[in-house]
Every structure is written in structure tokens, then in C-alpha cells.
Amino acid sequence: MEEDLKRRQMLTLLALTGAAGCGTATATSAATQPSTVAGTPTAAPSTAATARLGSAATATSAATSASASASASASKAAPSSAPATAGAGPSGRGGPVQAPTGKVLLGSYLALGGKNLKQSLSLRRGQLDREQRIVHRFYPWNGYVPTSEPDVAKSSTLMVSWHGAPYAGILNGGSNTNIRSVARKLKNMKRPILLRWGWEMNGDWFEWGGAQNGQSPANYVKAWKRLHRIFAEQGADNVAWVWSPNWNSSPNVSWNKVQNYYPGDEYVDWVGISGYNFYNETPSTLFNPITSRYGSRKPIILSETAAVKNKAKWIKQLHTWVEKTPAVGAVVWFDTDIQQGTDHNFRFDTDTAALSAYRTMARSSRFTG
């Protein structure tokens, strides 16, 4: 019954449109294997009712020129630090977006009710007295992809979660034209970009997950390598590749182990993780397994995270965990209160204690990357 409800809720992804071209939807469950997700209404899944366990499902729609014009003017705020650029930083890790040594890039996906992106960025700048070092956006697989993000400050790194697709249509070459087009658009943005393609592939809620593609992580790896090669052929050397599984796998079976999806060190610049405290999970529960497996080889980015309960306490736990985990190079908060179909509010300013905890974290020396 509850699973059917989740699947019906996910259908709303196809029709959502919100502030600044962003709309959101969420499906939740009391299942024992919570998971996280984000999506885009302009990239309709082939199985539109795909579900996820305890999820945060995000939809970003920029399918019209009106959405693009809503972001027409660049941020004029003074940058809090220099932008991450290719070859910058002493760590040598992270590809075109270098992981700062001993520091963390702190950013967010922003979709605040009643505000467009520019207004949301302004609010957070005032609360935190700093820019977002990463601004997270969602692009569809073969729908509208912008040629610029003028509201994202030059001092910020753009992170693009680009929807995946069924593996067969990629591996047979049928998607080559689309892949080349997106590669050229991202290249021509002429800014460092974190590209998070086909995220949470170890879950069963997206059409690009292994569970919906013949239970074949090997074909996910082949698809990833094809994209990587085509981007290289198009000269998109400003793109850093973010491989970003969910913190746990669904189904939790041997073929679906997260390591089976890893494309290899030469094809990955950052390793990401999605994880939320839907069932009171601690940061160590959510993030330790993947960080322990890959943190010695790649910088780690918490690519989707937020607290939905006990926020102040959990933010303090996150702060402490990151301080003790040098492999972490970036944290991206899932900052929204317009998740349709759920009472979850992912904003960190829902109460004064949570805002204070987040502000303390954002202003600490570890988070000044």
C-alpha cells in the first residue's frame, strides 16, 4: 500500500514547475532501507512511477525561455574566496575542480518557496555572510540545458546533476548527438563544473539504476566511460566527473553492491554520496562506508544531504564528522522547503537553533574552502 503511494507521488515529477524554474516532489516510506534521490520533470522516466525508499525527490525545470530569463542577471556580491579553477590548489585532486587541502567547499541546491535562485542566494548570503562555494542545479537528459547560469557567482562552482538514461540507448550510440550537445554547452559555460551524471545508480528508483537495466552495473560503467570519452572529444576539460551513489543500495543484494558501479579512478574526479537522516541515521552511518572505501583515492563530496529531524543536533554531528574526516572536500546541502507530497522541510533555518548550528559550521575554518 505504502509503496503504491510512493509510486503515485513520483508521477507528479512530470508536471512540476516552481520558482526560478525549479519544482520539487518527494516520496517517503517507513521502509528499513532509506534512500535519497533528485529528479527533473522535463526528463520523464520510462517507468514514470519509479520509487525510492525514504527519499527526497527533486525536480528542476528550465524548459522554457522564461525560466532562463528569471536568472538573467549575475550576482553582484563580492566573492568570499577565489573560484575553484582547473589546476588550482595544492592537493592535485579533483580534476578541473580541485579539492582544497584541509578545507571544505560548502554549497547547496537551493529551491526556496516564493523565491527565485537569485533571491535564495541573497538570503543565504545574508544569513551566512558568505557565498555558496557550490551551487547545485539539475538538468534533464535530453531536454532544456542552459548555456549559462548567470546567477551563480564566479566565485562559486556550478554542480550539475545531469539525468541518466537507460543504458541501451547510450551504448548503441543513439544518444551520441545529445551527449555531444550537452558537452559543448557545458564547455562553453567557461567555468569549472562538477558533473554528477546518473546519480544514485545503486537504487531502484531511477530509470538509470541497475535494477531497471538488467541488473547490470557493468553496463552502467560502460555508459559512463562512453560519456567520459565523448566529453573529452568535445574538449570539455572544465568538467570534473562526480560519481555519486546513494549511501545504501536498494535492493541490498550482491550484484547491486556500490563498488560494482565504479568506473575506475581514471574516469572519476570526485566521489559523491547522497544521505539524509530520515530514520535518525548519524553522519557516520550515512557516509563512513563510501568514504572509507574511496576517500584515500578521491576527494569526497556529500552531494546531497540535509536533516529533516533533530536538525540542530544533526548539523552539529555533521560538523564534527567532517572535521574528523579529511577525505571530505565538499558538502552540498539540499536546501528546499517545496517538496511536494511530503511534510519534510530540508531548510536549515526552520528554527533558530538549527540556523545557529549551520552558521557556526559555515563560518568555521574547515569550511572556508
Side-chain angles (χ1 to χ4, degrees):
M1 178 74 72
E2 193 164 351
E3 185 72 12
D4 290 339
L5 176 61
K6 287 191 301 174
R7 292 178 183 276
R8 287 196 300 271
Q9 288 173 331
M10 289 297 285
L11 288 170
T12 61
L13 286 172
L14 305 181
L16 292 172
T17 303
C22 297
T24 56
T26 298
T28 59
S29 168
T32 57
Q33 296 257 338
S35 307
T36 57
V37 69
T40 305
T42 51
S46 59
T47 53
T50 51
R52 57 183 329 225
L53 303 174
S55 66
T58 307
T60 298
S61 172
T64 66
S65 58
S67 298
S69 64
S71 299
S73 58
S75 172
K76 296 181 175 61
S80 58
S81 58
T85 57
S91 71
R93 302 203 317 159
V97 179
Q98 289 284 286
T101 301
K103 304 291 183 180
V104 168
L105 302 170
L106 179 63
S108 63
Y109 163 73
L110 272 165
L112 306 182
K115 297 183 184 297
N116 61 27
L117 178 60
K118 184 176 182 179
Q119 293 166 337
S120 298
L121 288 166
S122 178
L123 173 64
R124 294 299 186 239
R125 188 182 305 117
Q127 289 173 323
L128 304 176
D129 195 29
R130 56 172 290 169
E131 286 284 1
Q132 302 290 321
R133 292 293 285 116
I134 296 173
V135 178
H136 186 190
R137 308 289 278 163
F138 288 87
Y139 295 169
W141 169 247
N142 57 3
Y144 170 80
V145 172
T147 56
S148 66
E149 289 283 4
D151 286 336
V152 179
K154 292 299 183 183
S155 61
S156 302
T157 293
L158 174 65
M159 182 167 82
V160 171
S161 283
W162 182 28
H163 273 227
Y167 309 160
I170 298 174
L171 297 179
N172 66 13
S175 299
N176 284 3
T177 298
N178 178 53
I179 298 167
R180 291 189 191 104
S181 174
V182 174
R184 288 193 294 269
K185 287 180 178 180
L186 297 187
K187 170 188 175 181
N188 291 335
M189 284 191 183
K190 301 186 185 305
R191 64 184 306 154
I193 293 173
L194 291 160
L195 180 61
R196 180 180 176 241
W197 177 79
W199 65 97
E200 296 170 15
M201 72 302 291
N202 58 323
D204 56 6
W205 44 85
F206 282 138
E207 61 177 346
W208 58 83
Q212 298 193 45
N213 288 270
Q215 300 182 1
S216 179
N219 279 342
Y220 176 89
V221 170
K222 291 177 183 177
W224 180 284
K225 289 180 178 179
R226 176 180 281 268
L227 265 68
H228 194 280
R229 174 176 58 78
I230 292 173
F231 268 64
E233 291 170 352
Q234 298 302 310
D237 56 7
N238 60 318
V239 169
W241 291 79
V242 181
W243 178 75
S244 187
N246 196 61
W247 75 274
N248 62 352
S249 295
S250 179
N252 186 18
V253 292
S254 60
W255 69 261
N256 199 36
K257 290 184 180 299
V258 65
Q259 59 266 32
N260 295 340
Y261 293 91
Y262 189 63
D265 288 353
E266 62 188 299
Y267 299 97
V268 173
D269 296 305
W270 290 72
V271 167
I273 318 168
S274 296
Y276 300 73
N277 74 335
F278 288 112
Y279 300 97
N280 292 311
E281 298 89 351
T282 65
S284 59
T285 296
L286 294 172
F287 307 130
N288 273 357
I290 291 175
T291 299
S292 296
R293 179 177 289 275
Y294 298 104
S296 63
R297 296 145 62 185
K298 298 293 175 180
I300 300 297
I301 177 172
L302 309 188
S303 45
E304 275 190 42
T305 192
V308 298
K309 55 182 68 173
N310 303 318
K311 289 187 179 182
K313 177 182 178 182
W314 196 84
I315 291 168
K316 291 175 182 177
Q317 290 175 338
L318 177 65
H319 185 182
T320 298
W321 181 83
V322 172
E323 292 278 3
K324 295 179 178 178
T325 312
V328 177
V331 174
V332 183
W333 194 263
F334 193 75
D335 193 358
T336 181
D337 57 350
I338 53 175
Q339 291 291 100
Q340 184 171 326
T342 181
D343 59 0
H344 287 324
N345 184 332
F346 300 90
R347 292 175 62 153
F348 57 76
D349 59 351
T350 51
D351 61 78
T352 56
L355 175 58
S356 177
Y358 195 92
R359 184 185 289 121
T360 296
M361 180 175 72
R363 294 177 177 179
S364 69
S365 60
R366 175 80 165 101
F367 284 79
T368 57

